[in-house]
Amino acid sequence: MQPAKKELLTVIHQQDIEKVSESSKSWEIKLTNKQSFQVKYVLDASKESKLCRMANVKADDNVKVLRSTVLSLPQSRALIFVGEDQGEIEVAYLHEVVPAENNLFVLKAKEGYNLPYRVALGQTVGAVVSYCAFFKTSTDKIDLRVLQNELLMYRSRLLPCVDISVEDKHYSSLQRIFLTGILPLNQKEGKLYFNGQDSVKLADVKEELKRLFSRTQLWFVDHNPEYLTLKSTISLLKFAAFRGDELDKEIEQKWKKEFGFEQDYNPERLISKYEFAVLWDKYASPFWVKRSQNGDAIIR
């Protein structure tokens, strides 16, 4: 006998909510047709925050957005929302999206903001609520990287740069590397740039790589170039990813055909930030080194 399939979504038409009340571990939602539902999490996305008023909860919007250029490094690692409106890029990190109290999430309509911005914000808050419901957990136990990966899988934008298109072949890799904090972004006239053609200065990536991959400290004992070449990058990758000399040949073979890099494969030339990001995401996966929710501490 086949087990009954459990519905993942129930849509109720032509009914209104009559009452919202809190019990010890859940919320009770009563409809005008007298149906009643016991739920652990509530997301009030109504225009006038009707559910909050019924529940006697202050209806302040729990999503606090910031301008992308004021983010600290830890905050940038914990980003779960990026939205653009009228040329301004705004962001939010995990601690600014969680509900103020009692598993009641609030998402007020952003008056005057464009539709893509509001859709992206709704997707972010919906993902947080869904995470808690699916894993039967509370917001303080959210695994930051798992949540971010879910957002990336559904094509959320988490890279607040204006010079990288979402249509880029390696956009997902660039987003993941940005969320690690390995490669610094450049700021100009109030906007952030990836500047993928720039060379990679060792001083910019050294300390973060040492924190993420302790074995790389052995490499840095014997190597201290000002800028990384393709050859030195692959050598460093071998320490981080526990790979042997076969990695040189593999990268050479995939350079044009799979990676689609514009410049020819030449181990002696300086590697670009774009190439560096793609190779490190592909072969070392630094994104999956666990972080605390504030994006700062590494969980060992």
Side-chain angles (χ1 to χ4, degrees), residues 217-246:
Q217 297 181 62
L218 300 174
W219 190 89
F220 292 122
V221 170
D222 298 320
H223 303 81
N224 191 33
E226 182 177 5
Y227 290 92
L228 289 171
T229 62
L230 175 55
K231 182 178 181 180
S232 60
T233 298
I234 296 175
S235 173
L236 180 55
L237 261 175
K238 292 175 185 176
F239 273 78
F242 295 89
R243 296 292 297 267
D245 292 339
E246 79 285 349

Side-chain angles (χ1 to χ4, degrees), residues 11-24:
V11 180
I12 300 173
H13 298 280
Q14 298 179 335
Q15 293 296 325
D16 201 355
I17 295 176
E18 190 174 74
K19 184 179 179 181
V20 178
S21 57
E22 185 181 13
S23 62
S24 59

Side-chain angles (χ1 to χ4, degrees), residues 202-268:
L202 181 60
D204 289 339
V205 301
K206 181 177 180 179
E207 294 307 314
E208 199 59 36
L209 287 177
K210 285 166 62 177
R211 279 190 285 268
L212 290 168
F213 305 98
S214 58
R215 289 188 78 250
T216 60
Q217 297 181 62
L218 300 174
W219 190 89
F220 292 122
V221 170
D222 298 320
H223 303 81
N224 191 33
E226 182 177 5
Y227 290 92
L228 289 171
T229 62
L230 175 55
K231 182 178 181 180
S232 60
T233 298
I234 296 175
S235 173
L236 180 55
L237 261 175
K238 292 175 185 176
F239 273 78
F242 295 89
R243 296 292 297 267
D245 292 339
E246 79 285 349
L247 186 60
D248 299 75
K249 191 63 176 178
E250 181 177 335
I251 291 176
E252 182 179 7
Q253 291 175 340
K254 294 182 177 180
W255 190 258
K256 288 284 188 180
K257 186 175 181 181
E258 182 171 321
F259 297 135
F261 292 140
E262 293 181 0
Q263 296 194 63
D264 291 336
Y265 180 88
N266 178 0
E268 303 304 323

Side-chain angles (χ1 to χ4, degrees), residues 97-158:
V97 178
V98 298
E101 56 181 294
N102 305 333
N103 293 330
L104 175 58
F105 294 77
V106 185
L107 179 60
K108 286 186 177 180
K110 295 288 181 179
E111 297 294 339
Y113 282 71
N114 61 48
L115 182 59
Y117 182 105
R118 287 182 283 138
V119 168
L121 190 58
Q123 182 184 28
T124 294
V125 179
V128 173
V129 181
S130 300
Y131 181 106
C132 292
F134 181 82
F135 290 106
K136 297 180 175 60
T137 190
S138 54
T139 54
D140 62 304
K141 294 181 176 62
I142 289 176
D143 186 315
L144 175 65
R145 288 312 194 211
V146 172
L147 175 63
Q148 288 173 327
N149 188 58
E150 284 296 308
L151 288 166
L152 293 177
M153 286 177 60
Y154 288 93
R155 302 181 65 81
S156 289
R157 176 187 176 188
L158 298 182

